[in-house]
Amino acid sequence: MARFNFNPGPAALPKSVLETAQKEFTNYDSTHMSVLELSHRSKSYEDIHFEAVKRLRSLLDIPEQYEVLFLQGGASQQFAMVPMNFLNSEQSASYIVSGSWSEKALKEAKSIGQAEIYASTKDTNYTKIPDVHSIQNINEKTAYVHLTSNNTIYGTQWRDFPETDTTPLIADMSSDILSRRFDVRSFSLFYAGAQKNLGPSGVTVVVADRQFLEKSRKDIPTIFSYQTHVEKHSLYHTPPTFSIYMLNLVLKWVEEQGGIDAIESLNKQKAEKLYDAIDHSNNFYKGHAEVASRSAMNVTFTLENKELEELFLQEAEEAGFSGLKGHRSVGGLRASLYNAVPLEAVNALCSFMDDFRHRHQ
Amino acid sequence: MARFNFNPGPAALPKSVLETAQKEFTNYDSTHMSVLELSHRSKSYEDIHFEAVKRLRSLLDIPEQYEVLFLQGGASQQFAMVPMNFLNSEQSASYIVSGSWSEKALKEAKSIGQAEIYASTKDTNYTKIPDVHSIQNINEKTAYVHLTSNNTIYGTQWRDFPETDTTPLIADMSSDILSRRFDVRSFSLFYAGAQKNLGPSGVTVVVADRQFLEKSRKDIPTIFSYQTHVEKHSLYHTPPTFSIYMLNLVLKWVEEQGGIDAIESLNKQKAEKLYDAIDHSNNFYKGHAEVASRSAMNVTFTLENKELEELFLQEAEEAGFSGLKGHRSVGGLRASLYNAVPLEAVNALCSFMDDFRHRHQ
């Protein structure tokens, strides 16, 4: 039976990437060893490591003055590392809160220093992105402004990022990095757990302006200082070698697809197709997000009642669709359309949704 | 050409484990998905996760009142998490320093609170384990005593761990966990990066007494609190799912070998064989560690001069032996004999060493 993987992360990986990894799993590049068995100090591994850095630089058009780091601990660990590195006792950090992950980032910052909400859409149950286009004349003691570029749980996504003048802008891009073009120079730092668009879980990508990094605090544990990892090219301690190997294969695959513009165009097509199915369902399917804030990555919707949603999930599972259950904190349904989800899978889901609607409307 | 992998970590994995992982790489347990693509909230993944916990409990005979956690960031992150969780401003921590990794653990503790050296063998270039058998009447303000059970770089290993009376004992067991039997109850907490005996890099095992964990500090970032991970069964944030899957396969393999006693017996045999080759080389090969402190995991030795060592490494590489170069901080040679290194590889290495000696003595 064909399986269509709509998991929110860890998520679908490109089929050809999996096949390559399987083929060379026990004998990487004639080493007679698995990638898993390579020393992180070996030339074979270092080639993978630095090739992945180079590919990400090229795909995202990352300027020379930015560092690319491969860390561990996911976005959740970045929620702590960002304020540990950039917030001192005389400053405050500003958080734009657009969903559960921004809430968590704010909460963690508050456990480390002073942090406050700059804008939030909590009062509308996060159906939209806060209406922030430019941030000017912000308190000069503001260490940085933090936002979440895409909200996996609520299915909303920033269209245009706010201008912040001289205040550093930091973003959690875990669920939409590499899905569309954006100007890296708008950010002082951004980070992403790999397990949505970049590869498997276990590796976290951090991209940051070198000048900004130089201002980081020196009085924190070595392992949590970005500078430690900059100086050692993310080889200060043993990196998650296999996850970085998979990341490199995924980046190569993105290149083969035509790069970020081709990926973005396909992602738009996939999202439009699915939102169309929702919008033309005579209100049988109801989108959670306001149209202007809709995410191209996570499409969230509900049905008339919980029983019907349960039935939908059950029939969908039987028909070969995985991962469509909404996050436990909001319920309903969610289809995650990350880069590796093919248009074919979205087409199949739309057909299933039409069929289900005709049988149950 | 046969390859013999003596890498210090990431290191050799059992051949049958790699073959199983390769076979089911693109279709795990009839899910038509790779393990890498499974949601960490799915039943398929949770089964793997909790099976690995159960296996480790059984293999190490971990009592019910101990928690087993799967974290990220390796031992280096534990160097910081231990003092963050267990050291308050009125206390001090005591470190037994037996090599570079203990030094790093101590340095990180000092960046967080008060920490001091209880004993050290630095003055003899870490050729032996400090002579500490029992720690009594230690300052009551001592939060814990920390030691490194095996020193990967210098090739020394504790035989019997010190008694510490009521003072909590904490150990970094990264390079010898699961290689021999020991009494878990002697420790309040121990941790290990997986990339030597447990599996691939990317996952860190922490085992800790629940009562001890309850005393941990509450004023630290959520992500660095052990209690966070206890409460969520290491699923607070996305775990390194594939590394844990590989860990589970390695644990299954250890069971199939006859468990920890069979593994320990084989490890002894491997180490004796190699130390014999060194001891009977007419001083051509010189062991770094004193005999009573010799490690069964990492065998460190030198030759007459650097040129001969270079030649040894070159010929060894050509003959199919990988990972024999000593750590850059001490030089010389090192063979790491972790669980997955077969006796056959050690026999081949000993033959090569005898042959090399006869040609160059």
Side-chain angles (χ1 to χ4, degrees):
Chain A
M1 182 176 64
R3 296 297 299 194
F4 302 109
N5 184 349
F6 292 98
N7 275 329
L13 289 166
K15 195 160 173 278
S16 63
V17 163
L18 291 172
E19 284 166 355
T20 300
Q22 180 175 42
K23 198 172 158 213
E24 59 195 25
F25 195 78
T26 58
N27 182 7
Y28 174 72
D29 194 24
S30 306
T31 57
H32 295 266
M33 291 187 230
S34 173
V35 169
L36 294 154
E37 301 179 292
L38 297 177
S39 165
H40 60 300
R41 307 286 178 203
S42 67
K43 182 169 182 314
S44 296
Y45 174 71
E46 283 192 352
D47 284 351
I48 294 168
H49 190 93
F50 293 110
E51 196 169 277
V53 172
K54 199 174 157 191
R55 286 208 159 104
L56 197 65
R57 279 195 177 281
S58 160
L59 283 166
L60 289 181
D61 194 15
I62 299 173
E64 212 21 75
Q65 75 266 27
Y66 280 68
E67 295 284 348
V68 174
L69 302 175
F70 299 148
L71 305 182
Q72 293 180 61
S76 296
Q77 184 155 324
Q78 293 306 307
F79 296 167
M81 278 179 67
V82 163
M84 283 169 93
N85 277 270
F86 300 111
L87 191 53
N88 70 38
S89 58
E90 276 139 45
Q91 296 171 308
S92 176
S94 273
Y95 281 72
I96 304 181
V97 179
S98 54
S100 314
W101 297 110
S102 329
E103 282 180 12
K104 283 197 174 181
L106 171 68
K107 184 169 168 258
E108 201 71 300
K110 282 184 173 171
S111 79
I112 289 156
Q114 241 193 301
E116 60 208 23
I117 296 175
Y118 182 86
S120 168
T121 46
K122 189 171 187 167
D123 58 348
T124 67
N125 196 23
Y126 297 126
T127 51
K128 60 180 179 183
I129 294 293
D131 198 19
V132 179
H133 301 285
S134 102
I135 299 177
Q136 279 169 346
N137 307 320
I138 196 168
N139 188 322
E140 63 180 19
K141 289 192 170 166
T142 301
Y144 58 83
V145 173
H146 181 282
L147 61 81
T148 314
S149 62
N150 180 77
N151 301 287
T152 332
I153 293 175
Y154 296 92
T156 60
Q157 187 176 25
W158 287 81
R159 287 284 174 282
D160 301 298
F161 296 112
E163 306 274 340
T164 58
D165 200 10
T166 57
T167 310
L169 182 61
I170 294 180
D172 173 3
M173 293 198 180
S174 294
S175 53
D176 69 352
I177 192 169
L178 206 64
S179 72
R180 58 172 173 172
R181 191 171 279 289
F182 69 96
D183 185 2
V184 169
R185 291 172 187 79
S186 307
F187 298 89
S188 292
L189 184 151
F190 58 91
Y191 57 87
Q195 65 270 18
K196 286 123 186 339
N197 278 325
L198 296 174
S201 65
V203 59
T204 314
V205 168
V206 176
V207 177
D209 181 350
R210 201 169 291 132
Q211 281 192 305
F212 181 60
L213 287 175
E214 280 164 9
K215 289 185 218 148
S216 62
R217 294 182 69 149
K218 308 287 173 275
D219 58 348
I220 59 174
T222 319
I223 191 76
F224 301 132
S225 162
Y226 291 113
Q227 286 290 39
T228 299
H229 303 288
V230 167
E231 281 160 24
K232 300 289 185 183
H233 307 288
S234 309
L235 288 159
Y236 169 71
H237 61 152
T238 314
T241 51
F242 191 76
S243 295
I244 292 169
Y245 159 77
M246 290 300 298
L247 164 64
N248 187 40
L249 289 183
V250 170
L251 296 176
K252 184 161 178 265
W253 174 84
V254 172
E255 288 172 358
E256 288 159 5
Q257 304 311 299
I260 199 106
D261 294 325
I263 287 281
E264 178 169 9
S265 159
L266 187 62
N267 282 336
K268 263 191 191 159
Q269 221 183 318
K270 283 149 53 183
E272 273 169 17
K273 177 93 193 174
L274 186 49
Y275 282 119
D276 259 7
I278 292 169
D279 292 342
H280 295 91
S281 71
N282 204 8
N283 227 23
F284 183 76
Y285 300 112
K286 284 170 284 293
H288 174 81
E290 289 189 12
V291 173
S293 290
R294 278 175 165 176
S295 165
M297 292 285 101
N298 311 95
V299 177
T300 50
F301 56 101
T302 53
L303 293 180
E304 186 69 31
N305 56 56
K306 276 199 165 33
E307 290 67 37
L308 206 53
E309 286 172 354
E310 279 304 319
L311 187 65
F312 180 95
L313 279 172
Q314 191 192 314
E315 288 192 17
E317 189 66 41
E318 284 160 14
F321 300 96
S322 290
L324 291 172
K325 194 173 180 176
H327 189 271
R328 62 199 180 286
S329 65
V330 291
L333 305 157
R334 170 176 56 180
S336 297
L337 310 182
Y338 301 126
N339 292 353
V341 174
L343 182 59
E344 174 207 4
V346 179
N347 287 336
L349 177 60
C350 291
S351 299
F352 170 80
M353 284 169 68
D354 281 349
D355 178 60
F356 184 86
R357 173 163 71 90
H358 288 119
R359 284 185 288 110
H360 296 285
Q361 196 162 33
Chain B
M1 182 176 62
R3 295 297 297 194
F4 301 108
N5 184 349
F6 292 98
N7 275 329
L13 289 166
K15 194 160 174 279
S16 63
V17 163
L18 290 172
E19 285 166 354
T20 301
Q22 181 175 41
K23 199 172 157 213
E24 59 196 25
F25 195 78
T26 57
N27 182 7
Y28 173 72
D29 194 25
S30 306
T31 57
H32 295 266
M33 290 186 231
S34 173
V35 169
L36 294 154
E37 301 178 293
L38 296 177
S39 166
H40 60 300
R41 308 287 178 201
S42 66
K43 183 170 182 313
S44 296
Y45 174 71
E46 284 192 350
D47 285 352
I48 294 168
H49 190 93
F50 292 110
E51 196 169 278
V53 172
K54 200 174 156 192
R55 285 208 160 105
L56 196 66
R57 280 195 178 280
S58 160
L59 283 166
L60 290 181
D61 194 15
I62 299 173
E64 210 23 74
Q65 75 266 26
Y66 280 68
E67 295 284 348
V68 174
L69 302 175
F70 298 148
L71 305 182
Q72 294 180 60
S76 297
Q77 184 156 325
Q78 293 306 306
F79 296 167
M81 278 179 66
V82 163
M84 284 170 92
N85 277 269
F86 299 111
L87 191 52
N88 68 39
S89 57
E90 278 138 44
Q91 297 171 309
S92 175
S94 272
Y95 281 71
I96 303 181
V97 179
S98 55
S100 314
W101 296 109
S102 329
E103 282 179 12
K104 282 198 175 182
L106 172 66
K107 182 170 169 257
E108 200 71 301
K110 282 184 172 169
S111 79
I112 289 156
Q114 242 194 299
E116 59 207 24
I117 296 175
Y118 182 86
S120 168
T121 46
K122 188 170 187 169
D123 57 350
T124 66
N125 196 22
Y126 298 126
T127 52
K128 60 180 179 182
I129 294 292
D131 198 18
V132 179
H133 301 284
S134 102
I135 299 177
Q136 279 169 347
N137 307 321
I138 196 168
N139 189 324
E140 62 181 18
K141 289 192 171 166
T142 301
Y144 59 83
V145 173
H146 181 282
L147 63 79
T148 314
S149 62
N150 181 76
N151 302 287
T152 332
I153 293 175
Y154 296 92
T156 61
Q157 185 176 27
W158 286 80
R159 287 283 174 282
D160 302 297
F161 297 112
E163 305 274 342
T164 58
D165 200 11
T166 57
T167 310
L169 183 60
I170 293 179
D172 173 4
M173 293 198 180
S174 294
S175 54
D176 70 351
I177 192 168
L178 206 64
S179 72
R180 57 173 174 172
R181 191 170 280 289
F182 69 96
D183 186 1
V184 170
R185 290 171 188 79
S186 307
F187 298 90
S188 292
L189 184 150
F190 59 91
Y191 58 87
Q195 66 269 19
K196 284 119 183 347
N197 278 324
L198 295 174
S201 65
V203 60
T204 314
V205 168
V206 176
V207 178
D209 180 350
R210 201 169 289 130
Q211 281 191 305
F212 180 61
L213 287 175
E214 279 163 10
K215 288 184 221 150
S216 61
R217 294 183 68 149
K218 308 288 173 272
D219 58 347
I220 59 175
T222 319
I223 191 76
F224 301 133
S225 162
Y226 291 113
Q227 287 290 37
T228 299
H229 303 287
V230 167
E231 281 160 24
K232 300 291 185 182
H233 308 288
S234 309
L235 289 159
Y236 169 69
H237 60 154
T238 314
T241 52
F242 191 76
S243 295
I244 293 169
Y245 159 77
M246 290 300 300
L247 164 64
N248 187 40
L249 289 183
V250 170
L251 296 175
K252 184 160 177 267
W253 174 83
V254 173
E255 288 172 358
E256 288 160 4
Q257 304 311 299
I260 198 107
D261 294 325
I263 287 281
E264 177 168 9
S265 159
L266 187 62
N267 282 337
K268 265 191 189 159
Q269 221 183 316
K270 282 149 53 183
E272 273 169 18
K273 177 93 193 173
L274 186 49
Y275 283 119
D276 260 7
I278 291 169
D279 292 343
H280 294 92
S281 71
N282 204 9
N283 228 23
F284 182 76
Y285 301 112
K286 286 169 283 295
H288 174 81
E290 289 188 13
V291 173
S293 290
R294 277 176 167 175
S295 166
M297 294 284 101
N298 310 95
V299 178
T300 49
F301 55 102
T302 54
L303 293 181
E304 187 68 31
N305 56 55
K306 275 199 167 32
E307 290 66 38
L308 206 53
E309 287 172 352
E310 279 302 319
L311 187 64
F312 180 96
L313 280 171
Q314 190 192 315
E315 289 193 17
E317 190 65 41
E318 283 160 15
F321 300 95
S322 291
L324 289 172
K325 193 172 181 178
H327 189 271
R328 61 198 179 287
S329 64
V330 292
L333 305 157
R334 170 177 56 180
S336 297
L337 311 181
Y338 302 126
N339 293 352
V341 174
L343 182 58
E344 174 208 4
V346 179
N347 287 336
L349 177 60
C350 291
S351 298
F352 170 80
M353 284 169 68
D354 280 348
D355 179 61
F356 184 86
R357 174 164 71 90
H358 287 119
R359 285 185 287 110
H360 296 285
Q361 197 162 32

